[in-house]
């Protein structure tokens, strides 16, 4: 079966760095997405990786290892507004997105 | 630019009633999707449409139907609502079907 695993909840301190991990098992693979979702709001796109390696975009970076079926989202210089759920999703061979349940990130002052 | 508009934003519905959730996009995207989001579960695809005039079933299609008469509109209908359909429903679109998804603000549906 197809599956995405990510931690349910994480806590971090304002100004610190946090890494949110995601492992995936899919029928074929056409890329890995990260979305941010604030409570009561719609998900918004953060990043897309299809090749191995690190993609940096400001305070956020996303890493992919296709051989390990593994990705992480790295958030630096955490701000209170980064408190949100972070959704990992893999694109399978049929170009359908398989979604993880999301990681709720709590930022403490 | 509105992006994707969903209506209603919230609705309480008696079991057995028919309900249509509306979704309109102004980005001229070919692909559109309906997801439901429940606590502790990932987004689950209900139905999708790769282009106007075509639709397909997702992971959880039972009890739902869709139509895609034109590029902009993608309504989701619950023919006879049941309490297990209580959820937050998100409509989304993408330009190519393989890229970034743009989501509507969601419709919170409660079936009693």
């Amino acid at each position: 079966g197809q599956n995405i695993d990510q931690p349910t909840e994480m806590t971090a301190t304002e100004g610190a760095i946090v890494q949110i991990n995601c492992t995936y098992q899919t029928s074929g693979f056409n890329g890995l997405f990260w979305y941010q979702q604030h409570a009561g709001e719609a998900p918004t796109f953060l990043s897309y990786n299809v090749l191995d390696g690190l993609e940096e975009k400001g305070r956020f970076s996303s890493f992919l290892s296709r051989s390990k079926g593994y990705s992480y989202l790295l958030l630096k210089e955490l701000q209170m507004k980064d408190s949100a759920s972070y959704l990992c999703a893999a694109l399978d061979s049929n170009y359908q997105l398989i979604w993880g349940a999301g990681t709720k990130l709590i930022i403490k002052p | 630019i509105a992006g994707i508009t969903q209506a209603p934003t919230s609705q309480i519905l008696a079991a057995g009633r028919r309900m249509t959730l509306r979704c309109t996009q102004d980005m001229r995207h070919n692909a559109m999707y309906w997801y439901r989001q429940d606590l502790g579960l990932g987004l689950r695809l209900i139905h999708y449409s790769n282009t106007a005039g075509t639709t397909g079933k997702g992971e959880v299609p039972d009890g739902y139907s869709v139509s895609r008469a034109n590029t902009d509109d993608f309504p989701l209908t619950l023919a006879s609502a049941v309490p297990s359909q209580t959820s937050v429903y998100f409509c989304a679109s993408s330009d190519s079907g393989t890229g970034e998804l743009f989501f509507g603000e969601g419709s919170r549906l409660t079936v009693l």
Side-chain angles (χ1 to χ4, degrees), chain A residues 30 33 35 37 40-46 48 85 87 91 94-102, chain B residues 33 35 37 40-45 48 50 58 90 97-106 108:
Chain A
N30 283 297
F33 290 84
Y35 282 77
Q37 185 177 24
E41 298 183 8
T44 55
F45 171 82
L46 285 178
Y48 171 68
S85 288
L87 314 181
L91 201 58
N94 293 320
Y95 291 94
Q96 295 294 331
L97 274 173
I98 311 301
W99 294 84
Chain B
Y33 310 84
Y35 287 94
Q37 187 175 42
L41 300 176
L43 287 162
R44 292 185 291 170
L45 183 65
Y48 65 94
N50 288 329
F90 286 102
T98 60
E100 175 186 352
L101 289 182
F102 294 83
F103 286 86
E105 290 302 309
R108 182 175 296 275

Side-chain angles (χ1 to χ4, degrees), chain A residues 6 13 16 28 32 35 42-43 58 71 80 82 86 94 99 101 107:
Chain A
Q6 53 181 130
T13 304
L32 193 291
Y35 282 77
S71 173
M80 297 304 293
D82 297 330
Y86 292 86
N94 293 320
W99 294 84
I107 310 296

Side-chain angles (χ1 to χ4, degrees), chain A:
Chain A
Q2 306 199 98
N3 192 52
I4 304 283
D5 283 319
Q6 53 181 130
T8 302
E9 187 174 296
M10 298 181 70
T11 302
T13 304
E14 190 177 16
I17 299 173
V18 70
Q19 177 175 311
I20 302 173
N21 296 324
C22 170
T23 58
Y24 63 88
Q25 291 178 304
T26 55
S27 305
F29 179 76
N30 283 297
L32 193 291
F33 290 84
W34 284 96
Y35 282 77
Q36 181 189 58
Q37 185 177 24
H38 285 101
E41 298 183 8
T44 55
F45 171 82
L46 285 178
S47 67
Y48 171 68
N49 295 66
V50 67
L51 300 176
D52 284 356
L54 187 68
E55 296 273 348
E56 297 186 71
K57 192 185 295 185
R59 293 188 299 113
F60 292 9
S61 302
S62 56
F63 172 83
L64 176 67
S65 168
R66 294 176 67 127
S67 63
K68 296 182 178 178
Y70 168 69
S71 173
Y72 68 72
L73 182 69
L74 190 72
L75 292 74
K76 302 176 184 176
E77 301 169 16
L78 286 170
Q79 302 175 9
M80 297 304 293
K81 68 178 182 179
D82 297 330
S83 292
S85 288
Y86 292 86
L87 314 181
C88 174
L91 201 58
D92 71 9
S93 58
N94 293 320
Y95 291 94
Q96 295 294 331
L97 274 173
I98 311 301
W99 294 84
T103 298
K104 182 178 181 181
L105 178 63
I106 299 168
I107 310 296
K108 294 186 175 180

